[in-house]
Amino acid sequence: RATKDNQIDVDLALEGPAWKISRKQGVIKLKNNGDFFIANEGRRPIYIDGRPVLGGNKWKLNNNSVVEVSP
């Protein structure tokens, strides 16, 4: 969800009850070695290929990983 001070890269508003998703649920970063990681910065889990990544944890993303954000 966007705010007046923060733009978003992926708008989940059309996907259902987005108001339940943290404004900064997950952050995807590219490491120097070319690997992508997602960090869950929200309270609800993010699912990567069906596996839960709990708040405060990060997970390496593979080619064709499926990322699910549950409201």
Side-chain angles (χ1 to χ4, degrees):
R1 298 179 294 158
T3 65
K4 64 178 183 162
D5 299 325
N6 190 20
Q7 296 300 314
I8 57 172
D9 295 321
V10 178
D11 186 358
L12 299 174
L14 300 176
E15 298 297 324
W19 60 271
K20 291 183 178 182
I21 298 171
S22 173
R23 280 190 167 77
K24 195 171 180 184
Q25 178 69 46
V27 176
I28 298 174
K29 292 188 177 184
L30 173 62
K31 300 294 183 178
N32 290 338
N33 64 359
D35 290 340
F36 284 93
F37 282 84
I38 186 166
N40 184 347
E41 297 190 0
R43 288 181 286 187
R44 298 177 184 269
I46 295 174
Y47 293 88
I48 309 299
D49 299 324
R51 297 183 192 133
V53 178
L54 303 178
N57 292 301
K58 64 181 177 179
W59 194 267
K60 181 182 176 201
L61 297 174
N62 296 310
N63 189 32
N64 294 320
S65 285
V66 176
V67 178
E68 299 173 78
V69 181
S70 300

